[in-house]
Amino acid sequence: EPRSPWCCLAWSLVIGTMNSLLFLLNLLLMFVIFTVVLLPTIVVVYFGFQCHSQVLHSSARYCKSILDDNSSSALIILGFVIMSPLLVVAMAIYCSLARRLQLLLCCQPCSLALYKGGSCCQPGQGAPCCARGCSRQLKAWV
């Protein structure tokens, strides 16, 4: 049965807030995973750019004694070369974690704000927070 206008507005705010928090959780999870996995690339490219004479030319001791322009260029190239496989690894880790936690099934459709009713899933049948039944057809992957 349809909801009243004020109830519809209240539920729209609740659903919108919940979906926004879920989006921020996904973004935070993705940021943490990509930062941890891409840390070797970030460090290698940072030191390559820091010690190259045409870019930053730091006066640090390791830049003067260990890294010259050729080795700094090699570090920059190495960093960008290892970035591609690490991006694939980071995306695979994020996707498997999102699938395991069933984060993508927790988004609530805005139609729940308009109509009363909507069943909650049982804990063993699927995502704990999906609002429309627990059929396997709602999953984005199997």
Side-chain angles (χ1 to χ4, degrees), residues 5 8 13-14 21-22 40 49 63-66 68 79 82 86 90 92 95 98 102 105 111 124 130 133 139 141:
C8 179
L13 290 174
V14 168
L21 289 175
L22 186 66
F49 277 126
C63 285
K64 292 180 180 178
S65 62
I66 299 173
D68 59 351
I82 65 173
L86 289 179
C95 288
Q102 297 181 350
L105 290 176
S111 63
C130 63
K139 288 191 175 181
W141 52 74

Side-chain angles (χ1 to χ4, degrees), residues 29-51:
L29 182 67
M30 190 181 296
F31 176 76
V32 168
I33 289 172
F34 274 74
T35 302
V36 169
V37 172
L38 291 175
L39 193 61
T41 298
I42 295 168
V43 169
V44 167
V45 170
Y46 171 75
F47 281 118
F49 277 126
Q50 185 182 14
C51 295

Side-chain angles (χ1 to χ4, degrees), residues 78-135:
L78 175 69
F80 284 113
V81 166
I82 65 173
M83 185 185 304
S84 297
L86 289 179
L87 279 172
V88 171
V89 169
M91 186 54 82
I93 291 171
Y94 168 73
C95 288
S96 68
L97 194 59
R99 181 179 180 193
R100 184 178 312 255
L101 296 175
Q102 297 181 350
L103 293 176
L104 302 175
L105 290 176
C106 293
C107 284
Q108 301 293 329
C110 291
S111 63
L112 287 179
L114 300 176
Y115 295 100
K116 293 180 183 177
S119 58
C120 292
C121 292
Q122 301 299 323
Q125 293 180 338
C129 54
C130 63
R132 295 186 179 207
C134 296
S135 68

